[in-house]
PDB file of all heavy atoms in Angstrom:
ATOM      1  N   ARG A  42      51.918  70.414-106.242  1.00 89.00           N
ATOM      2  CA  ARG A  42      50.953  69.532-105.591  1.00 89.00           C
ATOM      3  C   ARG A  42      51.056  69.698-104.043  1.00 89.00           C
ATOM      4  O   ARG A  42      52.069  70.118-103.522  1.00 89.00           O
ATOM      5  CB  ARG A  42      51.159  68.064-105.932  1.00 89.00           C
ATOM      6  CG  ARG A  42      52.457  67.497-105.554  1.00 89.00           C
ATOM      7  CD  ARG A  42      52.698  66.188-106.252  1.00 89.00           C
ATOM      8  NE  ARG A  42      54.072  65.840-106.307  1.00 89.00           N
ATOM      9  CZ  ARG A  42      54.761  65.365-105.286  1.00 89.00           C
ATOM     10  NH1 ARG A  42      54.145  65.157-104.166  1.00 89.00           N
ATOM     11  NH2 ARG A  42      56.025  65.155-105.366  1.00 89.00           N
ATOM     12  N   ASP A  43      49.960  69.380-103.435  1.00 89.00           N
ATOM     13  CA  ASP A  43      49.869  69.476-101.996  1.00 89.00           C
ATOM     14  C   ASP A  43      50.202  68.070-101.388  1.00 89.00           C
ATOM     15  O   ASP A  43      49.751  67.098-101.842  1.00 89.00           O
ATOM     16  CB  ASP A  43      48.443  69.863-101.586  1.00 89.00           C
ATOM     17  CG  ASP A  43      48.141  71.322-101.885  1.00 89.00           C
ATOM     18  OD1 ASP A  43      49.058  72.173-101.810  1.00 89.00           O
ATOM     19  OD2 ASP A  43      46.984  71.593-102.263  1.00 89.00           O
ATOM     20  N   ILE A  44      51.023  68.178-100.366  1.00 87.00           N
ATOM     21  CA  ILE A  44      51.378  66.942 -99.585  1.00 87.00           C
ATOM     22  C   ILE A  44      50.588  67.033 -98.288  1.00 87.00           C
ATOM     23  O   ILE A  44      50.757  67.985 -97.525  1.00 87.00           O
ATOM     24  CB  ILE A  44      52.857  66.822 -99.365  1.00 87.00           C
ATOM     25  CG1 ILE A  44      53.589  66.744-100.668  1.00 87.00           C
ATOM     26  CG2 ILE A  44      53.182  65.639 -98.469  1.00 87.00           C
ATOM     27  CD1 ILE A  44      55.079  66.905-100.583  1.00 87.00           C
ATOM     28  N   PRO A  45      49.723  66.064 -98.002  1.00 89.00           N
ATOM     29  CA  PRO A  45      48.870  66.129 -96.829  1.00 89.00           C
ATOM     30  C   PRO A  45      49.673  65.998 -95.533  1.00 89.00           C
ATOM     31  O   PRO A  45      50.784  65.476 -95.531  1.00 89.00           O
ATOM     32  CB  PRO A  45      47.873  64.926 -97.028  1.00 89.00           C
ATOM     33  CG  PRO A  45      48.581  63.991 -97.887  1.00 89.00           C
ATOM     34  CD  PRO A  45      49.489  64.828 -98.784  1.00 89.00           C
ATOM     35  N   PRO A  46      49.062  66.486 -94.463  1.00 89.00           N
ATOM     36  CA  PRO A  46      49.721  66.270 -93.150  1.00 89.00           C
ATOM     37  C   PRO A  46      50.008  64.847 -92.808  1.00 89.00           C
ATOM     38  O   PRO A  46      49.266  63.973 -93.180  1.00 89.00           O
ATOM     39  CB  PRO A  46      48.709  66.904 -92.172  1.00 89.00           C
ATOM     40  CG  PRO A  46      47.876  67.830 -93.000  1.00 89.00           C
ATOM     41  CD  PRO A  46      47.782  67.147 -94.370  1.00 89.00           C
ATOM     42  N   ASP A  47      51.086  64.583 -92.136  1.00 85.00           N
ATOM     43  CA  ASP A  47      51.491  63.255 -91.709  1.00 85.00           C
ATOM     44  C   ASP A  47      51.088  63.056 -90.236  1.00 85.00           C
ATOM     45  O   ASP A  47      51.591  63.755 -89.362  1.00 85.00           O
ATOM     46  CB  ASP A  47      52.982  63.119 -91.900  1.00 85.00           C
ATOM     47  CG  ASP A  47      53.502  61.690 -91.545  1.00 85.00           C
ATOM     48  OD1 ASP A  47      52.670  60.874 -91.064  1.00 85.00           O
ATOM     49  OD2 ASP A  47      54.691  61.457 -91.689  1.00 85.00           O
ATOM     50  N   ILE A  48      50.194  62.090 -90.026  1.00 84.00           N
ATOM     51  CA  ILE A  48      49.686  61.883 -88.675  1.00 84.00           C
ATOM     52  C   ILE A  48      50.783  61.450 -87.717  1.00 84.00           C
ATOM     53  O   ILE A  48      50.791  61.833 -86.547  1.00 84.00           O
ATOM     54  CB  ILE A  48      48.573  60.870 -88.701  1.00 84.00           C
ATOM     55  CG1 ILE A  48      47.367  61.354 -89.561  1.00 84.00           C
ATOM     56  CG2 ILE A  48      48.065  60.519 -87.288  1.00 84.00           C
ATOM     57  CD1 ILE A  48      46.802  62.660 -89.150  1.00 84.00           C
ATOM     58  N   LYS A  49      51.777  60.663 -88.218  1.00 83.00           N
ATOM     59  CA  LYS A  49      52.876  60.267 -87.327  1.00 83.00           C
ATOM     60  C   LYS A  49      53.656  61.457 -86.833  1.00 83.00           C
ATOM     61  O   LYS A  49      54.153  61.463 -85.713  1.00 83.00           O
ATOM     62  CB  LYS A  49      53.742  59.296 -88.056  1.00 83.00           C
ATOM     63  CG  LYS A  49      53.090  57.936 -88.291  1.00 83.00           C
ATOM     64  CD  LYS A  49      54.058  56.994 -88.978  1.00 83.00           C
ATOM     65  CE  LYS A  49      53.459  55.634 -89.309  1.00 83.00           C
ATOM     66  NZ  LYS A  49      54.318  54.764 -89.984  1.00 83.00           N
ATOM     67  N   ALA A  50      53.912  62.414 -87.714  1.00 82.00           N
ATOM     68  CA  ALA A  50      54.637  63.613 -87.328  1.00 82.00           C
ATOM     69  C   ALA A  50      53.815  64.418 -86.315  1.00 82.00           C
ATOM     70  O   ALA A  50      54.384  64.944 -85.287  1.00 82.00           O
ATOM     71  CB  ALA A  50      54.985  64.446 -88.551  1.00 82.00           C
ATOM     72  N   VAL A  51      52.538  64.500 -86.532  1.00 83.00           N
ATOM     73  CA  VAL A  51      51.682  65.229 -85.517  1.00 83.00           C
ATOM     74  C   VAL A  51      51.791  64.498 -84.163  1.00 83.00           C
ATOM     75  O   VAL A  51      51.925  65.198 -83.143  1.00 83.00           O
ATOM     76  CB  VAL A  51      50.229  65.264 -86.035  1.00 83.00           C
ATOM     77  CG1 VAL A  51      49.312  65.844 -84.985  1.00 83.00           C
ATOM     78  CG2 VAL A  51      50.130  66.079 -87.316  1.00 83.00           C
ATOM     79  N   LYS A  52      51.635  63.222 -84.180  1.00 81.00           N
ATOM     80  CA  LYS A  52      51.724  62.462 -82.964  1.00 81.00           C
ATOM     81  C   LYS A  52      53.053  62.654 -82.222  1.00 81.00           C
ATOM     82  O   LYS A  52      53.104  62.793 -81.002  1.00 81.00           O
ATOM     83  CB  LYS A  52      51.453  60.960 -83.249  1.00 81.00           C
ATOM     84  CG  LYS A  52      51.388  60.097 -81.995  1.00 81.00           C
ATOM     85  CD  LYS A  52      50.971  58.709 -82.353  1.00 81.00           C
ATOM     86  CE  LYS A  52      50.770  57.743 -81.247  1.00 81.00           C
ATOM     87  NZ  LYS A  52      51.373  57.928 -80.054  1.00 81.00           N
ATOM     88  N   LEU A  53      54.138  62.643 -82.979  1.00 79.00           N
ATOM     89  CA  LEU A  53      55.434  62.832 -82.380  1.00 79.00           C
ATOM     90  C   LEU A  53      55.568  64.229 -81.784  1.00 79.00           C
ATOM     91  O   LEU A  53      56.057  64.356 -80.660  1.00 79.00           O
ATOM     92  CB  LEU A  53      56.564  62.679 -83.447  1.00 79.00           C
ATOM     93  CG  LEU A  53      57.963  62.845 -82.959  1.00 79.00           C
ATOM     94  CD1 LEU A  53      58.311  61.789 -81.901  1.00 79.00           C
ATOM     95  CD2 LEU A  53      58.969  62.770 -84.122  1.00 79.00           C
ATOM     96  N   LEU A  54      55.030  65.213 -82.399  1.00 79.00           N
ATOM     97  CA  LEU A  54      55.069  66.591 -81.849  1.00 79.00           C
ATOM     98  C   LEU A  54      54.245  66.689 -80.595  1.00 79.00           C
ATOM     99  O   LEU A  54      54.627  67.322 -79.588  1.00 79.00           O
ATOM    100  CB  LEU A  54      54.591  67.623 -82.872  1.00 79.00           C
ATOM    101  CG  LEU A  54      55.560  67.966 -83.977  1.00 79.00           C
ATOM    102  CD1 LEU A  54      54.885  68.844 -85.024  1.00 79.00           C
ATOM    103  CD2 LEU A  54      56.768  68.654 -83.413  1.00 79.00           C
ATOM    104  N   ILE A  55      53.061  66.087 -80.610  1.00 77.00           N
ATOM    105  CA  ILE A  55      52.143  66.125 -79.453  1.00 77.00           C
ATOM    106  C   ILE A  55      52.632  65.303 -78.276  1.00 77.00           C
ATOM    107  O   ILE A  55      52.763  65.747 -77.161  1.00 77.00           O
ATOM    108  CB  ILE A  55      50.702  65.715 -79.818  1.00 77.00           C
ATOM    109  CG1 ILE A  55      50.116  66.807 -80.793  1.00 77.00           C
ATOM    110  CG2 ILE A  55      49.858  65.592 -78.582  1.00 77.00           C
ATOM    111  CD1 ILE A  55      48.808  66.406 -81.427  1.00 77.00           C
ATOM    112  N   ASP A  56      52.876  64.020 -78.570  1.00 74.00           N
ATOM    113  CA  ASP A  56      53.311  63.115 -77.532  1.00 74.00           C
ATOM    114  C   ASP A  56      54.641  63.398 -76.941  1.00 74.00           C
ATOM    115  O   ASP A  56      54.890  63.330 -75.723  1.00 74.00           O
ATOM    116  CB  ASP A  56      53.265  61.634 -77.999  1.00 74.00           C
ATOM    117  CG  ASP A  56      51.837  61.176 -78.228  1.00 74.00           C
ATOM    118  OD1 ASP A  56      50.930  61.843 -77.802  1.00 74.00           O
ATOM    119  OD2 ASP A  56      51.705  60.100 -78.897  1.00 74.00           O
ATOM    120  N   GLY A  57      55.624  63.647 -77.828  1.00 64.00           N
ATOM    121  CA  GLY A  57      56.991  63.869 -77.349  1.00 64.00           C
ATOM    122  C   GLY A  57      57.293  65.295 -77.011  1.00 64.00           C
ATOM    123  O   GLY A  57      58.430  65.566 -76.602  1.00 64.00           O
ATOM    124  N   GLY A  58      56.329  66.141 -77.141  1.00 55.00           N
ATOM    125  CA  GLY A  58      56.631  67.551 -76.862  1.00 55.00           C
ATOM    126  C   GLY A  58      57.612  68.115 -77.831  1.00 55.00           C
ATOM    127  O   GLY A  58      58.481  68.885 -77.487  1.00 55.00           O
ATOM    128  N   GLY A  59      57.553  67.671 -79.089  1.00 54.00           N
ATOM    129  CA  GLY A  59      58.542  68.080 -80.110  1.00 54.00           C
ATOM    130  C   GLY A  59      59.678  67.173 -80.088  1.00 54.00           C
ATOM    131  O   GLY A  59      59.528  65.942 -79.901  1.00 54.00           O
ATOM    132  N   VAL A  60      60.911  67.637 -80.249  1.00 57.00           N
ATOM    133  CA  VAL A  60      62.084  66.831 -80.244  1.00 57.00           C
ATOM    134  C   VAL A  60      62.921  66.950 -79.028  1.00 57.00           C
ATOM    135  O   VAL A  60      63.969  66.445 -78.937  1.00 57.00           O
ATOM    136  CB  VAL A  60      62.947  67.140 -81.532  1.00 57.00           C
ATOM    137  CG1 VAL A  60      62.198  66.813 -82.775  1.00 57.00           C
ATOM    138  CG2 VAL A  60      63.322  68.620 -81.538  1.00 57.00           C
ATOM    139  N   ASP A  61      62.392  67.698 -78.030  1.00 60.00           N
ATOM    140  CA  ASP A  61      63.163  67.939 -76.773  1.00 60.00           C
ATOM    141  C   ASP A  61      63.523  66.725 -76.035  1.00 60.00           C
ATOM    142  O   ASP A  61      64.601  66.559 -75.489  1.00 60.00           O
ATOM    143  CB  ASP A  61      62.385  68.906 -75.892  1.00 60.00           C
ATOM    144  CG  ASP A  61      62.225  70.289 -76.437  1.00 60.00           C
ATOM    145  OD1 ASP A  61      62.997  70.652 -77.325  1.00 60.00           O
ATOM    146  OD2 ASP A  61      61.245  70.953 -76.041  1.00 60.00           O
ATOM    147  N   GLY A  62      62.648  65.660 -76.073  1.00 63.00           N
ATOM    148  CA  GLY A  62      62.875  64.475 -75.288  1.00 63.00           C
ATOM    149  C   GLY A  62      63.661  63.391 -76.070  1.00 63.00           C
ATOM    150  O   GLY A  62      63.882  62.351 -75.587  1.00 63.00           O
ATOM    151  N   LEU A  63      64.016  63.667 -77.305  1.00 65.00           N
ATOM    152  CA  LEU A  63      64.691  62.655 -78.115  1.00 65.00           C
ATOM    153  C   LEU A  63      66.244  62.762 -77.958  1.00 65.00           C
ATOM    154  O   LEU A  63      66.784  63.801 -77.806  1.00 65.00           O
ATOM    155  CB  LEU A  63      64.344  62.848 -79.572  1.00 65.00           C
ATOM    156  CG  LEU A  63      62.865  62.691 -79.946  1.00 65.00           C
ATOM    157  CD1 LEU A  63      62.697  62.960 -81.474  1.00 65.00           C
ATOM    158  CD2 LEU A  63      62.324  61.354 -79.600  1.00 65.00           C
ATOM    159  N   SER A  64      66.815  61.577 -78.055  1.00 73.00           N
ATOM    160  CA  SER A  64      68.276  61.518 -77.954  1.00 73.00           C
ATOM    161  C   SER A  64      68.819  61.922 -79.368  1.00 73.00           C
ATOM    162  O   SER A  64      68.109  62.028 -80.302  1.00 73.00           O
ATOM    163  CB  SER A  64      68.752  60.083 -77.621  1.00 73.00           C
ATOM    164  OG  SER A  64      68.458  59.242 -78.738  1.00 73.00           O
ATOM    165  N   VAL A  65      70.114  62.118 -79.403  1.00 76.00           N
ATOM    166  CA  VAL A  65      70.754  62.461 -80.706  1.00 76.00           C
ATOM    167  C   VAL A  65      70.551  61.356 -81.704  1.00 76.00           C
ATOM    168  O   VAL A  65      70.252  61.658 -82.895  1.00 76.00           O
ATOM    169  CB  VAL A  65      72.301  62.772 -80.527  1.00 76.00           C
ATOM    170  CG1 VAL A  65      72.946  62.953 -81.806  1.00 76.00           C
ATOM    171  CG2 VAL A  65      72.467  63.897 -79.590  1.00 76.00           C
ATOM    172  N   GLU A  66      70.655  60.162 -81.321  1.00 80.00           N
ATOM    173  CA  GLU A  66      70.474  59.010 -82.217  1.00 80.00           C
ATOM    174  C   GLU A  66      69.001  58.983 -82.717  1.00 80.00           C
ATOM    175  O   GLU A  66      68.768  58.762 -83.894  1.00 80.00           O
ATOM    176  CB  GLU A  66      70.767  57.692 -81.532  1.00 80.00           C
ATOM    177  CG  GLU A  66      72.255  57.483 -81.195  1.00 80.00           C
ATOM    178  CD  GLU A  66      72.674  58.215 -79.905  1.00 80.00           C
ATOM    179  OE1 GLU A  66      71.783  58.590 -79.096  1.00 80.00           O
ATOM    180  OE2 GLU A  66      73.895  58.455 -79.721  1.00 80.00           O
ATOM    181  N   GLU A  67      68.029  59.237 -81.818  1.00 76.00           N
ATOM    182  CA  GLU A  67      66.642  59.231 -82.237  1.00 76.00           C
ATOM    183  C   GLU A  67      66.323  60.372 -83.173  1.00 76.00           C
ATOM    184  O   GLU A  67      65.590  60.243 -84.157  1.00 76.00           O
ATOM    185  CB  GLU A  67      65.743  59.321 -81.007  1.00 76.00           C
ATOM    186  CG  GLU A  67      65.711  58.055 -80.185  1.00 76.00           C
ATOM    187  CD  GLU A  67      65.022  58.245 -78.840  1.00 76.00           C
ATOM    188  OE1 GLU A  67      65.139  59.352 -78.255  1.00 76.00           O
ATOM    189  OE2 GLU A  67      64.340  57.309 -78.437  1.00 76.00           O
ATOM    190  N   LEU A  68      66.952  61.569 -82.921  1.00 76.00           N
ATOM    191  CA  LEU A  68      66.793  62.700 -83.806  1.00 76.00           C
ATOM    192  C   LEU A  68      67.399  62.389 -85.188  1.00 76.00           C
ATOM    193  O   LEU A  68      66.742  62.724 -86.212  1.00 76.00           O
ATOM    194  CB  LEU A  68      67.502  63.929 -83.265  1.00 76.00           C
ATOM    195  CG  LEU A  68      66.816  64.633 -82.075  1.00 76.00           C
ATOM    196  CD1 LEU A  68      67.757  65.686 -81.507  1.00 76.00           C
ATOM    197  CD2 LEU A  68      65.492  65.276 -82.551  1.00 76.00           C
ATOM    198  N   GLU A  69      68.540  61.814 -85.284  1.00 79.00           N
ATOM    199  CA  GLU A  69      69.157  61.459 -86.533  1.00 79.00           C
ATOM    200  C   GLU A  69      68.264  60.462 -87.305  1.00 79.00           C
ATOM    201  O   GLU A  69      68.095  60.563 -88.483  1.00 79.00           O
ATOM    202  CB  GLU A  69      70.541  60.894 -86.333  1.00 79.00           C
ATOM    203  CG  GLU A  69      71.316  60.691 -87.619  1.00 79.00           C
ATOM    204  CD  GLU A  69      71.508  61.931 -88.461  1.00 79.00           C
ATOM    205  OE1 GLU A  69      71.655  63.027 -87.840  1.00 79.00           O
ATOM    206  OE2 GLU A  69      71.574  61.775 -89.679  1.00 79.00           O
ATOM    207  N   GLU A  70      67.748  59.453 -86.596  1.00 80.00           N
ATOM    208  CA  GLU A  70      66.898  58.482 -87.273  1.00 80.00           C
ATOM    209  C   GLU A  70      65.582  59.112 -87.764  1.00 80.00           C
ATOM    210  O   GLU A  70      65.140  58.859 -88.897  1.00 80.00           O
ATOM    211  CB  GLU A  70      66.545  57.325 -86.212  1.00 80.00           C
ATOM    212  CG  GLU A  70      65.765  56.180 -86.874  1.00 80.00           C
ATOM    213  CD  GLU A  70      66.523  55.493 -87.922  1.00 80.00           C
ATOM    214  OE1 GLU A  70      67.779  55.391 -87.803  1.00 80.00           O
ATOM    215  OE2 GLU A  70      65.913  55.007 -88.850  1.00 80.00           O
ATOM    216  N   GLU A  71      64.991  59.995 -87.020  1.00 77.00           N
ATOM    217  CA  GLU A  71      63.807  60.701 -87.465  1.00 77.00           C
ATOM    218  C   GLU A  71      64.134  61.607 -88.636  1.00 77.00           C
ATOM    219  O   GLU A  71      63.362  61.691 -89.616  1.00 77.00           O
ATOM    220  CB  GLU A  71      63.195  61.523 -86.298  1.00 77.00           C
ATOM    221  CG  GLU A  71      61.877  62.100 -86.589  1.00 77.00           C
ATOM    222  CD  GLU A  71      60.806  61.046 -86.856  1.00 77.00           C
ATOM    223  OE1 GLU A  71      60.898  59.930 -86.299  1.00 77.00           O
ATOM    224  OE2 GLU A  71      59.889  61.284 -87.674  1.00 77.00           O
ATOM    225  N   ARG A  72      65.265  62.240 -88.648  1.00 79.00           N
ATOM    226  CA  ARG A  72      65.680  63.082 -89.718  1.00 79.00           C
ATOM    227  C   ARG A  72      65.823  62.288 -90.995  1.00 79.00           C
ATOM    228  O   ARG A  72      65.325  62.679 -92.093  1.00 79.00           O
ATOM    229  CB  ARG A  72      67.009  63.742 -89.417  1.00 79.00           C
ATOM    230  CG  ARG A  72      67.615  64.561 -90.486  1.00 79.00           C
ATOM    231  CD  ARG A  72      68.979  65.161 -90.100  1.00 79.00           C
ATOM    232  NE  ARG A  72      69.668  65.701 -91.202  1.00 79.00           N
ATOM    233  CZ  ARG A  72      70.446  65.099 -92.035  1.00 79.00           C
ATOM    234  NH1 ARG A  72      70.652  63.773 -91.876  1.00 79.00           N
ATOM    235  NH2 ARG A  72      71.034  65.674 -93.078  1.00 79.00           N
ATOM    236  N   LYS A  73      66.423  61.073 -90.929  1.00 82.00           N
ATOM    237  CA  LYS A  73      66.600  60.260 -92.107  1.00 82.00           C
ATOM    238  C   LYS A  73      65.217  59.803 -92.643  1.00 82.00           C
ATOM    239  O   LYS A  73      64.980  59.813 -93.848  1.00 82.00           O
ATOM    240  CB  LYS A  73      67.400  58.966 -91.741  1.00 82.00           C
ATOM    241  CG  LYS A  73      68.845  59.272 -91.500  1.00 82.00           C
ATOM    242  CD  LYS A  73      69.596  58.029 -91.095  1.00 82.00           C
ATOM    243  CE  LYS A  73      71.052  58.342 -90.769  1.00 82.00           C
ATOM    244  NZ  LYS A  73      71.769  57.143 -90.276  1.00 82.00           N
ATOM    245  N   LYS A  74      64.304  59.443 -91.725  1.00 81.00           N
ATOM    246  CA  LYS A  74      62.960  59.063 -92.172  1.00 81.00           C
ATOM    247  C   LYS A  74      62.248  60.189 -92.907  1.00 81.00           C
ATOM    248  O   LYS A  74      61.639  59.989 -93.921  1.00 81.00           O
ATOM    249  CB  LYS A  74      62.104  58.582 -90.972  1.00 81.00           C
ATOM    250  CG  LYS A  74      62.517  57.267 -90.408  1.00 81.00           C
ATOM    251  CD  LYS A  74      61.621  56.989 -89.181  1.00 81.00           C
ATOM    252  CE  LYS A  74      62.084  55.742 -88.381  1.00 81.00           C
ATOM    253  NZ  LYS A  74      61.256  55.513 -87.199  1.00 81.00           N
ATOM    254  N   LEU A  75      62.338  61.426 -92.320  1.00 80.00           N
ATOM    255  CA  LEU A  75      61.674  62.536 -92.900  1.00 80.00           C
ATOM    256  C   LEU A  75      62.273  62.895 -94.290  1.00 80.00           C
ATOM    257  O   LEU A  75      61.507  63.265 -95.212  1.00 80.00           O
ATOM    258  CB  LEU A  75      61.770  63.765 -91.990  1.00 80.00           C
ATOM    259  CG  LEU A  75      60.924  63.643 -90.673  1.00 80.00           C
ATOM    260  CD1 LEU A  75      61.290  64.802 -89.729  1.00 80.00           C
ATOM    261  CD2 LEU A  75      59.463  63.639 -90.999  1.00 80.00           C
ATOM    262  N   LEU A  76      63.587  62.859 -94.359  1.00 80.00           N
ATOM    263  CA  LEU A  76      64.207  63.106 -95.681  1.00 80.00           C
ATOM    264  C   LEU A  76      63.792  62.113 -96.736  1.00 80.00           C
ATOM    265  O   LEU A  76      63.535  62.477 -97.906  1.00 80.00           O
ATOM    266  CB  LEU A  76      65.724  63.136 -95.534  1.00 80.00           C
ATOM    267  CG  LEU A  76      66.297  64.391 -94.785  1.00 80.00           C
ATOM    268  CD1 LEU A  76      67.776  64.197 -94.560  1.00 80.00           C
ATOM    269  CD2 LEU A  76      66.005  65.654 -95.559  1.00 80.00           C
ATOM    270  N   ILE A  77      63.746  60.841 -96.388  1.00 82.00           N
ATOM    271  CA  ILE A  77      63.278  59.797 -97.320  1.00 82.00           C
ATOM    272  C   ILE A  77      61.813  60.054 -97.740  1.00 82.00           C
ATOM    273  O   ILE A  77      61.501  60.032 -98.978  1.00 82.00           O
ATOM    274  CB  ILE A  77      63.432  58.420 -96.711  1.00 82.00           C
ATOM    275  CG1 ILE A  77      64.888  58.034 -96.564  1.00 82.00           C
ATOM    276  CG2 ILE A  77      62.656  57.366 -97.511  1.00 82.00           C
ATOM    277  CD1 ILE A  77      65.187  56.795 -95.736  1.00 82.00           C
TER     278      ILE A  77
END
Side-chain angles (χ1 to χ4, degrees):
R42 60 192 160 78
D43 291 322
I44 299 172
D47 182 357
I48 299 302
K49 290 181 183 179
V51 173
K52 186 173 183 335
L53 180 62
L54 284 171
I55 292 171
D56 290 347
V60 295
D61 294 337
L63 298 178
S64 69
V65 173
E66 292 81 17
E67 290 170 323
L68 285 171
E69 186 61 32
E70 187 62 33
E71 190 62 32
R72 178 182 168 274
K73 288 177 185 177
K74 288 179 189 177
L75 291 171
L76 288 173
I77 290 169

